[in-house]
Amino acid sequence: MIRVVLADDQPLVRAALEMVIAETTDVEVVGEAGDGAEAVRLAAELRPDVVVMDIRMRPQPGGREVPPVTDGIEATRRVTAAGGPTRVVVLTTFDEDEHVYAALRAGASGFLVKDMALDDILAAVRVVAAGEALIAPSVTRRLIGAFAAQRPRGEAPPPGRLEVITDREREILTLVGRGLSNPEIAAELVLSIATVKTYMTRLLAKLDARDRVQLVILAYETGLVAVPG
């Protein structure tokens, strides 16, 4: 059973997600939070598999803890920094949100938009709970653009980070950074999907990356994928 905490400051959003989850046999809601601080507390107390986190949450009056700012980004950072089993799926309205890069750097393993079908959001929860990373296909390349916009101009890439990988692995990491899926990478390099998956496993291990999202970030931070403009 996949145990989930729903963290969103809109009760209707939480209710809609809970209604869909209630119809499943493999996912259950074990807690709900209306602000980031409560999400952090529940993650520590309940140790769920996944927290579905609204990125724009703000502390609610009367909550148990009301710090100056505990939005979804800070809450994600605290949950992932705790080192527990809980993974975070960020849920937001992409077109209005300028904090995508910060949220993923904070440790989110998934990035979804609220106008996705509820069943697709549920499927994403299963993917992330299984240890994979997921970015909504409809926004992957736009998300890459958000990385580019958020990265400081002129910032030098971390030295030596890519010295441990081969030329072929560097090539694959570049394609991952451009937003290509495993099948797309296989087609681009004329490889089997199984071979691409093997390379992905090696990249994750060599670069000490938790998931594909961190590889995308690393591709930008090391300059493998050029920042437009």
Side-chain angles (χ1 to χ4, degrees):
M1 182 70 72
I2 299 170
R3 304 170 68 251
V4 175
V5 165
L6 302 177
D8 197 298
D9 57 6
Q10 298 182 44
L12 288 178
V13 173
R14 300 199 307 269
L17 288 170
E18 186 171 18
M19 186 178 304
V20 173
I21 290 173
E23 297 178 355
T24 70
T25 58
D26 63 330
V27 184
E28 66 174 341
V29 175
V30 296
E32 294 186 27
D35 61 70
E38 183 72 357
V40 174
R41 186 188 70 80
L42 289 177
E45 177 183 312
L46 303 175
R47 295 175 68 83
D49 299 296
V50 177
V51 175
V52 178
M53 186 85 73
D54 175 21
I55 202 172
R56 283 184 175 274
M57 283 190 302
R58 292 293 185 270
Q60 301 298 305
R64 299 190 181 193
E65 178 188 0
V66 184
V69 175
T70 310
D71 59 9
I73 295 172
E74 177 61 24
T76 296
R77 183 177 296 110
R78 293 186 191 180
V79 170
T80 58
T86 303
R87 297 166 70 85
V88 177
V89 173
V90 170
L91 187 62
T92 188
T93 49
F94 181 85
D95 287 333
E96 299 178 358
D97 208 309
E98 69 278 15
H99 302 301
V100 176
Y101 184 77
L104 294 180
R105 289 203 65 184
S109 294
F111 178 84
L112 305 173
V113 289
K114 288 185 177 180
D115 60 2
M116 291 177 67
L118 292 177
D119 285 344
D120 290 340
I121 293 174
L122 184 59
V125 167
R126 293 188 177 101
V127 168
V128 171
E132 300 294 330
L134 186 143
I135 302 174
S138 63
V139 300
T140 297
R141 287 173 178 79
R142 294 166 65 198
L143 175 61
I144 303 284
F147 286 171
Q150 292 292 325
R151 181 184 171 191
R153 298 283 180 180
E155 182 180 281
R161 185 71 189 272
L162 302 182
E163 290 179 356
V164 297
I165 66 175
T166 66
D167 289 342
R168 175 62 95 179
E169 289 165 348
R170 183 185 297 256
E171 191 174 12
I172 289 176
L173 179 59
T174 301
L175 296 177
V176 171
R178 283 170 44 196
L180 273 66
S181 65
N182 285 354
E184 290 171 331
I185 293 172
E188 178 85 9
L189 301 179
V190 194
L191 299 171
S192 71
I193 295 178
T195 298
V196 173
K197 288 181 178 179
T198 298
Y199 277 117
M200 290 295 298
T201 300
R202 292 175 185 170
L203 281 169
L204 291 169
K206 287 184 176 183
L207 297 174
D208 193 27
R210 182 182 59 249
D211 50 40
R212 194 183 195 93
V213 169
Q214 289 194 333
L215 291 180
V216 171
I217 295 172
L218 184 61
Y220 269 98
E221 291 184 332
T222 57
L224 279 184
V225 179
V227 177

